[in-house]
Amino acid sequence: NAGVTQTPKFQVLKTGQSMTLQCAQDMNHEYMSWYRQDPGMGLRLIHYSVGAGITDQGEVPNGYNVSRSTTEDFPLRLLSAAPSQTSVYFCASSYSLAGGGRHYEQYFGPGTRLTVT
Amino acid sequence: EDKVVQSPLSLVVHEGDTVTLNCSYEVTNFRSLLWYKQEKKAPTFLFMLTSSGIEKKSGRLSSILDKKELFSILNITATQTGDSAVYLCAVSRDMRFGAGTRLTVKP
């Protein structure tokens, strides 16, 4: 099993550009999520999904879109990049018991380091 | 607003020392508290706690939850240089993370 994979590992964007961060998992997990990690701030939840076709906002959703068309994939779209979105982005997944996946152990991908200039 | 506070923010010890990391929280509809270890890249899971007073152990690491006083501790005994990492606490219902404790273990 590859676990949770993320691409790209590094990305530099100019302000106003858009891009998609890719996330895939091969563990058949229902629950998937996106976090951003900034220095001294731990991880903050951007969006999450409890299954294909179902997404919801987390703590810091502004400026990001997600969709979940398959169990395996959960891409994160930056609509118009801003310097405030410079961060390390982690995708995570977990098994879900009646939609409660966010309460359980999460498996994290290796992260994408994004810089917006 | 839900809040998770970890202390200390950083800690430097020598090999063989015992450390205690703290995580206090204020969240509505508490479901679980999880501890993760983050070295250079992605966090890796250590413990999940849902009930008060039941200690979870894994080798030299142990953790316990107090749902009345709203905190958890993570203990590491006989520390080794490989324990150097950021230790993250997360509390659900919405998996809110604390800022982490950076532990440095010197030889």
Side-chain angles (χ1 to χ4, degrees):
Chain A
N1 281 358
V4 180
T5 57
Q6 291 182 237
T7 56
K9 287 189 171 53
F10 302 94
Q11 183 71 49
V12 179
L13 290 179
K14 291 188 178 351
T15 297
Q17 287 184 315
S18 62
M19 79 158 295
T20 299
L21 306 185
Q22 300 292 344
C23 174
Q25 52 92 9
D26 61 0
M27 297 174 282
N28 203 31
H29 284 168
E30 291 294 326
Y31 180 81
M32 295 185 75
S33 55
W34 276 101
Y35 294 88
R36 59 177 289 173
Q37 186 173 33
D38 302 299
M41 294 192 74
L43 285 85
R44 290 184 290 169
L45 182 64
I46 304 171
H47 285 285
Y48 65 93
S49 168
V50 298
I54 307 169
T55 64
D56 207 345
Q57 296 181 350
E59 186 185 349
V60 289
N62 291 342
Y64 308 94
N65 269 359
V66 292
S67 59
R68 184 97 178 269
S69 55
T70 66
T71 300
E72 295 77 21
D73 300 299
F74 191 43
L76 177 74
R77 293 182 196 82
L78 279 71
L79 309 171
S80 177
S84 61
Q85 293 179 304
T86 293
S87 189
V88 179
Y89 290 84
F90 288 102
C91 178
S93 72
S94 72
Y95 70 90
S96 180
L97 197 63
R102 63 183 176 274
H103 309 305
Y104 300 96
E105 170 191 356
Q106 297 198 59
Y107 296 80
F108 285 85
T112 294
R113 185 174 292 276
L114 176 69
T115 302
V116 183
T117 61
Chain B
E1 183 182 303
D2 292 351
K3 195 169 17 175
V4 179
V5 178
Q6 292 187 246
S7 63
L9 290 181
S10 68
L11 190 55
V12 180
V13 301
H14 287 93
E15 274 192 318
D17 288 349
T18 293
V19 298
T20 297
L21 310 183
N22 302 289
C23 176
S24 64
Y25 63 91
E26 294 174 26
V27 301
T28 52
N29 296 325
F30 174 90
R31 295 287 296 273
S32 58
L33 184 147
L34 292 89
W35 284 97
Y36 290 87
K37 177 182 182 182
Q38 185 175 27
E39 296 178 83
K40 289 196 167 37
K41 290 197 172 177
T44 54
F45 173 77
L46 294 175
F47 298 111
M48 184 173 88
L49 304 155
T50 56
S51 301
S52 273
I54 299 173
E55 186 182 48
K56 294 271 182 107
K57 288 198 74 163
S58 176
R60 297 176 293 103
L61 278 67
S62 64
S63 183
I64 197 161
L65 174 67
D66 186 328
K67 288 168 74 174
K68 184 180 174 191
E69 300 297 330
L70 307 183
F71 76 92
S72 173
I73 60 172
L74 175 68
N75 279 323
I76 309 175
T77 59
T79 51
Q80 302 170 357
T81 55
D83 295 325
S84 295
V86 175
Y87 290 85
L88 296 165
C89 166
V91 180
S92 185
R93 61 187 172 107
D94 284 332
M95 206 50 69
R96 187 171 289 264
F97 280 79
T101 294
R102 180 175 296 279
L103 173 65
T104 303
V105 181
K106 293 192 168 181

